[in-house]
Each structure stands twice: as structure tokens, then as C-alpha cells.
């Protein structure tokens, strides 16, 4: 089980319940912005916890098998049959429900660190939701929450709630990348804040931002981002395209087949061709085999934010650079491969 998150003086804490984010608001405007942030954070948390994860499945599958190993013999003993009827249906439902519940609790536990860091980035105490606005910074760089005593490095506050409307937290990517089978995931920035990383085609980057970068720079970034894993993508696409052509050649074997069966075969071949064609296209255009850390490394090498492609500010004393546009934090010098997507 992952350890509880700690504040910046090493004291463990539980992140405040999202419903309590507006708890200490002292004006209507404060309350509104806290509620807005609460909705965004809830959406972000739900998205991360819903994303399928192999590591979570390693826990949920044995549990489900264990429950089934007890439930079905019990059914056999109680009802004389272990399949059929309402009891076994109930057993299946309970097992699936349990799997879902365990999966969600694991992902929420893993997300605590990211949720806490995101709350502090917005200028709230992650432990009690008290506003960190205008508080004194101690010599060690920390702000101490007057309400609960938790300590937070002041430099964490990169999206303060008191500066007006913030760019949305990890907005949903536009339709185009999703049509191209690209769904950039939510990742943790260098200080743990949940952000959506850019996609390798820069389609999730706002058009005016792409314009500001200039077509030359955009092309260079795309090439650098997509340089990794290219061979695997093209090989897979070639295999799928070959399979598609093979399915198409089946059409020549339909001589002498009687009519209803012939039409069924033609429809089947057509559907198979389309499916394999799409899969081949998806393999070429998708992001298969591009490591998560490659995005951060490539963007920061260009002095750009790996989330929104905005310009990064100068490096601070801890070696962090903050995005001027969205407040995401990135390491100025990137260490060797250490991908850490949330909830993975
Ligand atoms: Zn507090
Ligand atoms: Zn940014």
C-alpha cells in the first residue's frame, strides 16, 4: 500500500475532502472559485481513477478469483448447483462490485499525493483547505497553516486562487486528437500537481499557442516527440495493413457460393477490412511506445511546458521551472528515465 502523503516538513496528512474546499471561504467570490476548483479536481480525480491500470488489476484479479473460489462451492453446497438461478447471478454481481470497489479505493489512495499537491498549487492548505493567501513565509521557505499547522513550501503555490480565473485544470482534449485515437493522460508535474500532458501532434495545445510557437518550432517538436517508438508503430501498422489485404483477397474465393451466404460473407469481409484499416491507421498516428518521460524531457529541453506548451519561467534555486501560462512545474535538468504517471 502506498504511504500517506507528507507535508513539506515530513508530517503525514490526509488530503482534505473535496467537499470541504469551500469551508473557509469568507466571500461569495471565494466560495465560487473554491467550488469551481472542487468540480475540476473531482473530474480530474475521477478520470485518473477510471483509467485502466495493470498494477491495480494485479490486486483486483486475485481478490475476485478468491471470492469466486469461496462463493461457488458455497452455492453448490447450499443449492445443490453452482450455476444458474438468482443466487449465482448475485455471486457474480457481488464479485464484480467488490472488484470495482477495491480498484477505486486503490486508485484514490495512490492519487492522494497528486490531489494534495494540486490543492496546495491553488493556494489552499491540502490538509484543511484553509487559504494560504498573504501568510508569512518561514526561513525554510515554508508557509505554516494557521488552522492545522501543516507546512507547505511557498513555491508550490503556482496557481493561486486569489489571482482571478485560472486556466482550467487539465481540460479534456479537443475532439481531433481523440478521433486520431490519442488520449493524452493526466500526469504529475515535477511538484506532483495533476496536469494533462500535451499530445505528440500538439493537437491538444490551443491553436493560438501553436501559432505563437510558429510552424517551424511546432514541426520540430512533433518530430522530436514522435521520434521514439516509430519503428514499432510502423511495423505494427504494416502487419495490420497486410492482414487487411489478405482479408480482401478472400473476396476472390466466393465463386459458386449461394446467395444469402455470399452476401453475409461480403459484409463480413467488408467489416474486417474496415476494422483492420482503422487499426493500421491508429498504429501509425497513435502514441504507442513513446515513454511518458519523453514528453517532459522534449518539452523542457525547448523551454516549454509539457502540459500546455507555454513558455517556462527561469529556474528557481530548487532547479524547477514554472509554466507562465498554466502554473505547471518542471525540472530544469531532467534526470534519466523516471516515468511516474498517476495511478498507473
Ligand atoms: Zn491547514
Ligand atoms: Zn503550461
Amino acid at each position: 500500500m502506498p504511504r500517506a502523503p507528507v507535508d513539506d516538513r515530513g508530517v503525514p496528512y490526509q488530503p482534505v475532502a473535496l467537499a470541504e474546499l469551500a469551508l473557509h471561504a469568507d466571500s461569495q467570490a471565494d466560495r465560487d472559485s473554491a467550488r469551481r476548483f472542487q468540480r475540476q479536481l473531482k473530474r480530474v480525480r475521477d478520470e485518473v481513477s477510471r483509467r485502466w491500470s495493470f498494477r491495480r488489476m494485479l490486486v483486483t484479479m486475485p481478490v475476485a478469483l478468491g471470492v469466486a473460489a469461496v462463493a461457488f462451492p458455497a452455492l453448490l453446497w447450499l443449492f445443490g448447483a453452482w450455476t444458474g438461478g438468482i443466487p449465482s447471478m448475485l455471486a457474480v454481481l457481488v464479485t464484480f462490485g467488490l472488484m470495482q470497489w477495491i480498484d477505486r479505493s486503490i486508485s484514490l489512495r495512490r492519487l492522494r499525493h497528486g490531489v494534495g499537491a494540486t490543492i496546495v498549487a491553488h493556494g489552499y492548505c491540502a490538509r484543511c483547505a484553509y487559504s494560504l493567501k498573504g501568510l508569512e513565509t518561514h526561513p525554510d521557505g515554508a508557509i505554516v497553516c494557521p488552522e492545522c499547522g501543516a507546512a507547505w513550501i511557498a513555491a508550490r503555490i503556482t496557481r493561486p486562487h486569489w489571482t482571478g480565473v485560472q486556466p482550467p485544470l487539465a481540460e479534456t482534449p479537443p475532439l481531433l486528437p481523440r478521433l486520431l485515437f490519442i488520449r493524452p493522460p493526466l500526469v504529475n508535474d515535477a511538484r506532483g500537481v495533476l496536469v494533462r500532458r500535451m499530445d505528440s501532434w500538439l493537437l491538444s495545445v490551443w491553436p493560438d499557442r501553436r501559432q505563437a510557437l510558429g510552424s517551424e518550432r511546432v514541426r520540430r517538436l512533433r518530430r522530436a516527440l514522435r521520434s521514439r517508438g516509430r519503428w514499432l508503430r510502423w511495423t505494427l501498422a504494416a502487419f495490420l495493413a497486410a492482414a487487411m489485404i489478405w482479408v480482401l483477397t478472400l473476396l476472390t474465393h466466393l465463386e459458386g457460393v449461394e446467395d444469402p451466404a455470399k452476401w453475409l460473407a461480403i459484409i463480413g469481409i467488408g467489416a474486417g477490412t474496415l476494422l483492420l484499416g482503422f487499426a493500421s491507421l491508429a498504429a501509425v498516428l497513435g502514441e504507442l511506445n513513446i515513454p511518458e518521460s519523453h514528453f517532459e524531457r522534449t518539452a523542457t529541453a525547448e523551454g516549454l511546458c509539457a502540459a500546455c506548451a507555454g513558455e517556462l519561467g527561469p529556474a528557481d534555486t530548487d532547479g524547477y521551472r514554472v509554466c507562465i501560462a498554466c502554473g505547471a512545474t518542471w525540472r530544469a535538468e531532467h534526470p534519466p528515465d523516471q516515468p511516474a504517471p498517476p495511478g498507473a
Side-chain angles (χ1 to χ4, degrees), residues 188-204:
N188 295 108
D189 75 3
R191 286 208 191 265
V193 177
L194 291 160
V195 297
R196 188 180 310 284
R197 71 141 164 83
M198 60 162 78
D199 69 273
S200 57
W201 293 106
L202 271 69
L203 293 169
S204 51

Side-chain angles (χ1 to χ4, degrees), residues 140-159:
D140 64 350
I143 292 176
V144 176
C145 173
E147 185 77 9
C148 73
W152 310 106
I153 298 284
R156 282 187 181 278
I157 307 171
T158 55
R159 296 168 57 94

Side-chain angles (χ1 to χ4, degrees), residues 31-314:
R31 206 169 346 265
D32 287 345
S33 83
R35 293 242 166 86
R36 201 164 41 238
F37 172 49
Q38 175 193 326
R39 277 194 300 274
Q40 290 184 20
L41 193 51
K42 209 163 169 306
R43 182 176 53 72
V44 162
R45 191 193 63 181
D46 286 348
E47 185 187 320
V48 181
S49 64
R50 269 194 220 115
R51 213 165 166 125
W52 185 83
S53 145
F54 181 70
R55 273 171 63 196
R56 294 207 308 264
M57 200 197 66
L58 281 183
V59 180
T60 51
M61 274 311 276
V63 171
L65 289 176
V67 171
V70 175
F72 284 102
L75 287 176
L76 183 63
W77 182 69
L78 281 173
F79 302 99
W82 59 282
T83 53
I86 291 169
S88 63
M89 217 158 72
L90 271 176
V92 170
L93 279 179
V94 166
T95 311
F96 270 107
L98 194 71
M99 265 174 88
Q100 278 294 317
W101 182 78
I102 294 172
D103 188 69
R104 191 167 161 79
S105 5
I106 297 174
S107 73
L108 290 185
R109 276 184 77 92
R110 291 216 171 115
L111 263 176
R112 288 177 305 179
H113 169 72
V115 167
T118 310
I119 293 175
V120 178
H122 285 76
Y124 299 101
C125 172
R127 188 174 171 193
C128 74
Y130 194 82
S131 174
L132 303 175
K133 180 183 178 182
L135 297 176
E136 157 208 21
T137 307
H138 288 250
D140 64 350
I143 292 176
V144 176
C145 173
E147 185 77 9
C148 73
W152 310 106
I153 298 284
R156 282 187 181 278
I157 307 171
T158 55
R159 296 168 57 94
H161 66 86
W162 52 85
T163 53
V165 177
Q166 286 289 340
L169 179 66
E171 48 196 319
T172 331
L175 190 62
L176 192 56
R178 281 183 286 151
L179 284 180
L180 292 175
F181 315 99
I182 292 170
R183 242 182 90 220
L186 293 160
V187 296
N188 295 108
D189 75 3
R191 286 208 191 265
V193 177
L194 291 160
V195 297
R196 188 180 310 284
R197 71 141 164 83
M198 60 162 78
D199 69 273
S200 57
W201 293 106
L202 271 69
L203 293 169
S204 51
V205 171
W206 285 108
D208 49 351
R209 181 60 206 143
R210 279 206 302 271
Q211 212 152 30
L213 284 171
S215 56
E216 179 51 42
R217 217 169 163 199
V218 167
R219 220 171 308 138
R220 194 170 65 229
L221 258 173
R222 279 181 185 154
R223 209 178 311 126
L225 286 170
R226 300 193 56 80
S227 64
R228 298 287 292 272
R230 191 192 280 141
W231 279 103
L232 182 80
R233 289 196 298 274
W234 279 98
T235 311
L236 183 65
F239 269 112
L240 288 164
M244 181 186 81
I245 290 165
W246 178 77
V247 169
L248 261 181
T249 59
L250 294 180
L251 279 177
T252 59
H253 298 289
L254 291 180
E255 301 264 335
V257 180
E258 286 306 311
D259 228 2
K262 188 173 184 177
W263 279 109
L264 273 179
I266 289 176
I267 290 171
I269 290 170
T273 310
L274 269 179
L275 211 69
L276 286 164
F278 268 126
S280 173
L281 199 68
V284 174
L285 297 173
E287 296 183 336
L288 194 68
N289 215 26
I290 305 180
E292 253 347 293
S293 60
H294 182 62
F295 289 91
E296 185 181 337
R297 197 188 300 257
T298 310
T300 47
E302 285 268 336
L304 298 176
C305 170
C308 74
E311 302 289 341
L312 296 178

